[in-house]
Amino acid sequence: MIGELEAALRGAAAAAGVADGDFMPGVRTSDPRHGDFQANGVLAAAKKAGRPPRPLAEAIVARLGPDVREAFDVSVAGPGFVNFAARPALLLAWLRAHTSPDDLARGAAAAHAGETWVVDYSSPNSAKQMHVGHLRSAVIGEAISRLVSFTGARVVRDNHVGDWGTQYGKLIWAYKRHLDGPALGRDPLEEFERLYKLGNAAAESDPAVMEEARAELVRLQAGDAANTEIWRRINEASLASFQGIYERLGIRFDVTLGESFYNDKVEAVYSGLSGSGVSSESQGAQVVFHPEHPRFKTQPLIVRKSDGAANYATTDLATILYRCEHFRAGVILYVVDKRQSDHFEQLFLTARKWFERTGRALPRLEHVDFGTVLGENGKPLRTRTGDNVRLRDLLDEAAERAFDLVTKKSPEFPEDERRAIAEVVGVGSVQYADLSQNRSSDYVFSWEKMISLEGNTAAYLLYALARIRSIFRKGGLECPDPAAEAAADAPATPGEAALARKLLKFADSVRLATETLSPHFLCLYLYELAGEFSTFYGADKVIVDDPVVRARRLMLCSRTLLVMETGLGLLGLRTLGRM
Ligand code: ARG
């Protein structure tokens, strides 16, 4: 809706004599007391043109086309804001036009439709368990992928697994000497972690072991068959274990191109950077200085270590080139902890120079950062013994706690159904608690707050949704029912109108969440929508005798269900028939 209103205002402003480039309409959804949308752009345009703002706003409003005037009650407020309040006819038209997820997607289509976006997320290191530090990238990356795809881009979901690096020397050393076969069968990652710790400790205390570990690494890097086979097994088992988590979180990658995939693609980085004069040599290493940057003018990005080896940055540069050439990426998003922001800033600066000097088009590169998950003590969340909290244990506990909630709420449901519901509620609560925060901030992980039917929580929303489903189920009614809806007229009571006006803003909230890569905007929208539904449902009886009133109320229920279901789906949550 915002896009349409901005276009209409631009046209009207031009007709009122405002130069085209001088006018940014600045339409936003607004507090319902000020209509549904508000434009604040006339103020700046008036200032620029040296005209008094209020009369200019009135002149612009007078030149709005009849379609806008029919759809909205338009008024000028304060010093020159333009307020738009949706008229009942528009609300009815919206309700009639949106009966499927595809209709909602069409309404939300953004300017990036047709572009290819690569989303690099989750991307854990192999041979280690996923822990709570891996939660945010997976959950936020999945939601953003869904949002970007829903609004029209082609999305390539790429799990850039850390499956290569110097740790393999010690790991292979220990694997060859200390592997515990049965333990490997029980829990491979646990065994790899044990082996790595063992190899690391041995190498730290004994220079001979350190030498042997180094030799194992060199053999692996040279393609030695035995070491390559061990490495392959470690990665295969790691990915299989990650897969269990991804399934619970509803994550499916299009490609999993780990760091090792780029081993044969780093030569192009070395030669490209030196050939174009972007890199220089410093103490035997190949480095890139950025003289224009306060820190990176003295702290270069190392792209090739003095021993000739590639590193994290080299691989990332090769990855950018590959994503451009192979996927034709227009945008690459990196959903990674904000502690890596220096790495990405330096990487993007380097890629830009490299691409510019070699005549390549650089895609938009963006570090979608996020803060840390904290314990109630304000420090990064850990177990009581000070270890990292395993993601698997965290999700298990969430399901366990949700089981108590579900049992309290619906003790009459059979136990296996309560277990199945608890998995959806528990995992959804963890996802939602993460997504509903501004992603750049740290947040405190609190079981009590997150697994609760009160507040902006998954359980509250899932319950609201299940309750709407039950209206249709108990009445034996279709949802939606086009034949019955044909009788519906426009929203009339305050509860109906407020709910319909909130529904109208779904696409704008999806766009806002997508443009800012901030799913919490969608969470907030869904929470408010559930609140409007609850007010409506408390005030207006749905199943009444009057066929017209009943049809329009059922239509509102059906659309609320559609929007909630679609919205929660975009966040990566599963929903329930009953709860
Ligand atoms: N494996 C890295 C880590 O665990 C994250 C990789 C993020 N993606 C990237 N292209 N650098 O810290």
Side-chain angles (χ1 to χ4, degrees):
M1 208 55 78
I2 289 177
E4 283 99 317
L5 287 175
E6 294 207 323
L9 281 168
R10 280 214 174 81
V18 179
D20 219 17
D22 284 353
F23 185 52
M24 300 279 287
V27 178
R28 292 206 169 76
T29 57
S30 61
D31 184 305
R33 278 169 305 169
H34 306 127
D36 294 299
F37 301 95
Q38 183 171 74
N40 64 9
V42 180
L43 300 174
K47 197 163 176 196
K48 221 165 179 180
R51 293 167 67 172
R54 215 183 143 102
L56 179 60
E58 274 153 8
I60 291 174
V61 166
R63 284 165 180 80
L64 285 168
D67 44 341
V68 178
R69 313 296 301 242
E70 269 158 36
F72 294 96
D73 184 6
V74 190
S75 58
V76 174
F81 298 112
V82 183
N83 290 347
F84 298 88
R87 293 185 195 275
L90 173 65
L91 300 176
L92 180 61
W94 189 93
L95 292 166
R96 290 211 181 291
H98 296 83
T99 60
S100 71
D102 283 346
D103 296 332
L104 294 177
R106 256 192 306 281
H112 62 241
E115 284 175 16
T116 296
W117 290 44
V118 173
V119 186
D120 177 326
Y121 67 111
S122 187
S123 308
N125 294 333
S126 51
K128 285 195 208 139
Q129 313 257 4
M130 282 177 93
H131 58 77
V132 63
H134 296 106
L135 175 69
R136 303 208 71 186
S137 177
V139 167
I140 297 169
E142 181 61 29
I144 286 178
S145 297
R146 291 182 185 210
L147 283 164
V148 170
S149 156
F150 185 76
T151 50
R154 175 174 91 103
V155 176
V156 179
R157 297 146 190 241
D158 186 359
N159 192 3
H160 190 77
V161 179
D163 62 357
W164 196 254
T166 49
Q167 73 272 27
Y168 284 97
K170 291 168 186 166
L171 189 51
I172 291 175
W173 180 90
Y175 189 103
K176 286 186 175 169
R177 290 159 184 83
H178 303 285
L179 181 68
D180 176 344
L184 184 72
R186 277 194 304 275
D187 189 337
L189 290 196
E190 189 117 347
E191 177 60 4
F192 297 148
E193 277 177 6
R194 187 189 71 86
L195 288 173
Y196 177 76
K197 278 193 201 130
L198 200 151
N200 193 39
E204 291 304 315
S205 61
D206 183 349
V209 174
M210 184 66 96
E211 230 3 89
E212 284 169 15
R214 215 170 271 145
E216 296 293 7
L217 180 65
V218 170
R219 273 198 285 278
L220 173 68
Q221 287 165 340
D224 169 81
N227 283 14
T228 303
E229 177 54 22
I230 294 174
W231 169 83
R232 199 194 56 75
R233 263 188 245 153
I234 292 172
N235 279 291
E236 198 177 74
S238 302
L239 286 176
S241 147
F242 300 156
Q243 195 51 38
I245 302 263
Y246 295 147
E247 267 154 34
R248 292 179 83 177
L249 294 173
I251 294 176
R252 250 185 42 222
F253 290 101
D254 299 301
V255 289
T256 296
L257 299 175
E259 294 180 14
S260 66
F261 176 76
Y262 299 95
N263 283 349
D264 63 355
K265 299 176 179 60
V266 293
E267 280 305 326
V269 175
Y270 304 143
S271 61
L273 290 175
S274 64
S276 57
V278 173
S279 66
S280 53
E281 213 209 280
S282 170
Q283 296 161 14
Q286 188 179 347
V287 302
V288 180
F289 285 99
H290 296 288
E292 74 284 11
H293 192 281
R295 272 172 298 127
F296 307 148
K297 69 179 173 205
T298 50
Q299 291 165 37
L301 182 74
I302 299 171
V303 294
R304 187 174 203 173
K305 296 190 280 185
S306 53
D307 64 5
N311 63 15
Y312 189 48
T314 328
T315 311
D316 259 332
L317 286 164
T319 306
I320 294 176
L321 185 60
Y322 181 81
R323 287 172 177 166
C324 291
E325 293 187 334
H326 189 79
F327 298 119
R328 307 256 157 248
V331 179
I332 306 176
L333 303 180
Y334 297 83
V335 187
V336 184
D337 193 303
K338 73 176 167 201
R339 283 172 289 195
Q340 291 194 29
S341 61
D342 269 6
H343 166 73
F344 286 107
E345 197 183 345
Q346 224 165 351
L347 178 72
F348 297 167
L349 280 172
T350 304
R352 178 167 349 119
K353 290 179 189 171
W354 174 26
F355 275 47
E356 252 163 35
R357 294 200 198 166
T358 51
R360 292 189 177 92
L362 185 71
R364 179 179 139 206
L365 302 171
E366 194 156 336
H367 177 202
V368 181
D369 67 356
F370 52 80
T372 306
V373 182
L374 305 175
E376 313 250 13
N377 60 4
K379 302 218 181 83
L381 186 68
R382 303 229 163 224
T383 63
R384 257 179 303 250
T385 51
D387 295 318
N388 275 321
V389 180
R390 284 191 211 152
L391 207 38
R392 196 181 55 197
D393 297 343
L394 187 101
L395 296 179
D396 287 347
E397 182 166 356
E400 207 46 58
R401 286 173 181 262
F403 182 71
D404 294 341
L405 180 100
V406 176
T407 301
K408 227 176 265 156
K409 180 118 198 106
S410 306
E412 72 282 10
F413 290 3
E415 170 162 355
D416 49 344
E417 185 183 355
R418 275 181 283 135
R419 292 258 168 233
I421 294 174
E423 171 72 12
V424 175
V425 173
V427 173
S429 299
V430 172
Q431 291 170 298
Y432 192 85
D434 198 300
L435 293 169
S436 56
Q437 310 288 324
N438 185 330
R439 65 174 159 76
S440 298
S441 323
D442 299 344
Y443 74 91
V444 175
F445 191 94
S446 156
W447 286 120
E448 283 69 35
K449 280 199 199 121
M450 100 176 44
I451 303 193
S452 162
L453 284 161
E454 262 132 64
N456 186 7
T457 63
Y460 171 72
L461 294 176
L462 291 172
Y463 180 68
L465 187 145
R467 200 165 63 154
I468 306 177
R469 282 225 174 98
S470 78
I471 299 171
F472 290 93
R473 195 176 45 238
K474 285 185 187 145
L477 302 162
E478 295 275 307
C479 175
D481 183 345
E485 285 178 9
D489 62 355
T493 68
E496 293 170 4
L499 176 57
R501 290 163 76 180
K502 195 75 200 173
L503 288 168
L504 184 74
K505 292 169 191 147
F506 173 68
D508 294 309
S509 86
V510 167
R511 285 241 199 108
L512 180 63
T514 310
E515 271 157 24
T516 57
L517 304 172
S518 300
H520 76 276
F521 287 117
L522 179 58
C523 296
L524 185 62
Y525 169 85
L526 292 172
Y527 175 57
E528 289 175 354
L529 176 65
E532 294 294 4
F533 181 80
S534 164
T535 308
F536 152 75
Y537 195 66
D540 297 324
K541 194 166 185 295
V542 173
I543 307 297
V544 291
D545 291 338
D546 183 328
V548 175
V549 175
R550 177 186 154 116
R552 76 170 188 250
R553 289 185 184 164
L554 279 172
M555 179 165 69
L556 280 164
C557 292
S558 150
R559 292 316 177 269
T560 306
L561 182 59
L562 172 69
V563 166
M564 299 254 314
E565 172 105 69
T566 307
L568 288 170
L570 286 174
L571 296 172
L573 271 72
R574 279 173 291 163
T575 63
L576 295 160
R578 63 175 193 163
M579 179 180 159

